[in-house]
Structure formats: structure tokens, C-alpha cells
Amino acid sequence: NAGVTQTPKFQVLKTGQSMTLQCAQDMNHEYMSWYRQDPGMGLRLIHYSVGAGITDQGEVPNGYNVSRSTTEDFPLRLLSAAPSQTSVYFCASSYSSEAYNSPLHFGNGTRLTVT
Amino acid sequence: SQQGEEDPQALSIQEGENATMNCSYKTSINNLQWYRQNSGRGLVHLILIRSNEREKHSGRLRVTLDTSKKSSSLLITASRAADTASYFCAGGDSWGKLQFGAGTQVVVTP
């Protein structure tokens, strides 16, 4: 039981490049989400999904796309990277579709630098 | 916008002492959760307290919730060096999502 797995752990991009951050969970959780963590700002929700085929925007969705074709996977796509997207990205899942009502399980993060 | 704001931002104590951190939130919540983050790692869930509860215990952790003051506190008793981490509160907002505060950085020295 691996929990929530994020790849890669580190990534450096040039401005304008695109990439996909991978997230997979093996707990059959309904809810999956992406957060970014910046110094002094806590975690901010980017996108979330309450089940396969369903996604919705969080607090800071601009510049990011997501899809949820399976229960297990929830990739985050950066369409055209900008320096403002330099951050640590966390994927999290929970068994309930109501994230506030059940504990979130986090991956270990992807540290992204955009130059 | 952040739902929770932790206080203090940083806390330094010695092993064996108690550590107390506070969280204030802005809007009505269904529950409030506390998480721990070790350096370079993801967050780990510690405890969840529902809006109709006033106090909850889990091992050396004690959480209180005062909905009238929109505040919560986390107490770690008899702290250990392994408790060195950042601690975050997160409140469920009216849209059913969690919003996190900026965290309290706790350092426990042997």
C-alpha cells in the first residue's frame, strides 16, 4: 500500500514550457486534489476531483489543467510555465467526496522551479 | 484567501515542555483539522474536531475548538525532538473544501 505517489520529486522548467505532474493513489479514494505551497502562505487549492470524470477549480486554478479518467490517477498539467508557478506542489486524496469531512492523505510533493 | 491563521508563526521549546499553538478562522466551519509537516515531506493528518465538539485528545495531542471565537488550539504535551515540524490548521469552508493556514514552525531541542 503505497498511499499517494507523486512524480517527479524535482523539476526545472524554462518559461513557456509545459509539463505534467503525476499523482496516483492506491487507496480507492473518491476525492483527489492538488495544492501548491509557497513560503508564508500555507497551502492553496488548485483543482480537485470528487470522482472519476469530475473535476472542479479551487482557489488558484489559472495556468493549470487537470483530468480524472480513473479513480487512481489525477495528473496536473502546466500549460505554459511561468516563474510565478515556482512552488512545491502536493497531491492529496481522501475517501470521502467531502474533503473537509475526512482526513487528507498527502504525497511527498514535487518541487518545481521555473526560470 | 486563507481560512486559518496560526499563532505563533514559530515556537522553540525544550524536550519535555508543552507546546501550544493557536488557529483562528474566518468563516463558519463543519470541522477543523490539524496536520503536521516534516521538512521536505507531505502533510500528515493529526486530528479532526467537529464543530459540535469542544475538546479532543489523541495520544499527547489535545485540541480545543471555540466556535464562538472562531478559534482552535493544539497542545502537544511532553514534547520530543521528533515533534520538530510545521503544524497547520485547516477549516472546511462553506463550499465543502479545506483551507489551510500558513502554519506554526515548532523546534524542539534536546
Side-chain angles (χ1 to χ4, degrees):
Chain A
N1 190 340
V4 178
T5 302
Q6 289 185 238
T7 56
K9 292 183 179 180
F10 301 94
Q11 183 70 49
V12 179
L13 292 178
K14 294 186 186 304
T15 297
Q17 288 185 318
S18 62
M19 78 158 295
T20 299
L21 280 63
Q22 301 292 342
C23 175
Q25 53 90 9
D26 61 359
M27 298 172 283
N28 202 32
H29 283 174
E30 289 185 354
Y31 180 90
M32 296 187 73
S33 57
W34 278 100
Y35 287 86
R36 59 177 289 173
Q37 184 177 32
D38 301 294
M41 298 192 69
L43 279 77
R44 291 182 292 169
L45 182 64
I46 304 171
H47 285 285
Y48 67 99
S49 167
V50 298
I54 305 169
T55 63
D56 207 344
Q57 297 181 348
E59 185 184 353
V60 287
N62 293 341
Y64 307 94
N65 271 357
V66 291
S67 60
R68 183 95 180 269
S69 56
T70 66
T71 299
E72 295 79 18
D73 300 300
F74 192 45
L76 178 72
R77 298 184 188 85
L78 279 70
L79 308 174
S80 178
S84 61
Q85 293 178 306
T86 293
S87 187
V88 182
Y89 291 84
F90 288 98
C91 179
S93 70
S94 73
Y95 74 87
S96 170
S97 61
E98 296 174 328
Y100 67 90
N101 227 7
S102 61
L104 283 174
H105 297 254
F106 281 82
N108 283 327
T110 294
R111 187 174 295 274
L112 175 68
T113 302
V114 182
T115 62
Chain B
S1 63
Q2 292 173 210
Q3 172 69 289
E5 294 184 5
E6 288 91 344
D7 171 58
Q9 292 185 338
L11 182 60
S12 185
I13 57 174
Q14 291 191 318
E15 268 192 329
E17 294 181 338
N18 296 342
T20 300
M21 60 209 85
N22 302 298
C23 168
S24 59
Y25 56 91
K26 300 173 183 175
T27 61
S28 296
I29 58 170
N30 286 284
N31 65 48
L32 191 132
Q33 303 184 31
W34 285 90
Y35 288 81
R36 183 188 74 230
Q37 183 181 34
N38 292 93
S39 181
R41 310 282 290 185
L43 280 71
V44 174
H45 181 262
L46 294 176
I47 198 164
L48 181 154
I49 185 167
R50 302 196 185 281
S51 59
N52 61 353
E53 297 176 310
R54 292 296 168 259
E55 188 171 311
K56 200 162 184 178
H57 296 256
S58 176
R60 293 184 296 112
L61 305 180
R62 173 177 166 257
V63 169
T64 63
L65 180 64
D66 187 335
T67 53
S68 66
K69 295 182 180 178
K70 289 187 168 56
S71 68
S72 174
S73 69
L74 171 66
L75 167 68
I76 305 172
T77 60
S79 62
R80 306 166 181 169
D83 294 328
T84 294
S86 293
Y87 293 81
F88 295 86
C89 68
D93 65 13
S94 57
W95 300 102
K97 296 186 291 293
L98 279 178
Q99 291 195 10
F100 287 81
T104 293
Q105 193 168 7
V106 176
V107 175
V108 182
T109 54

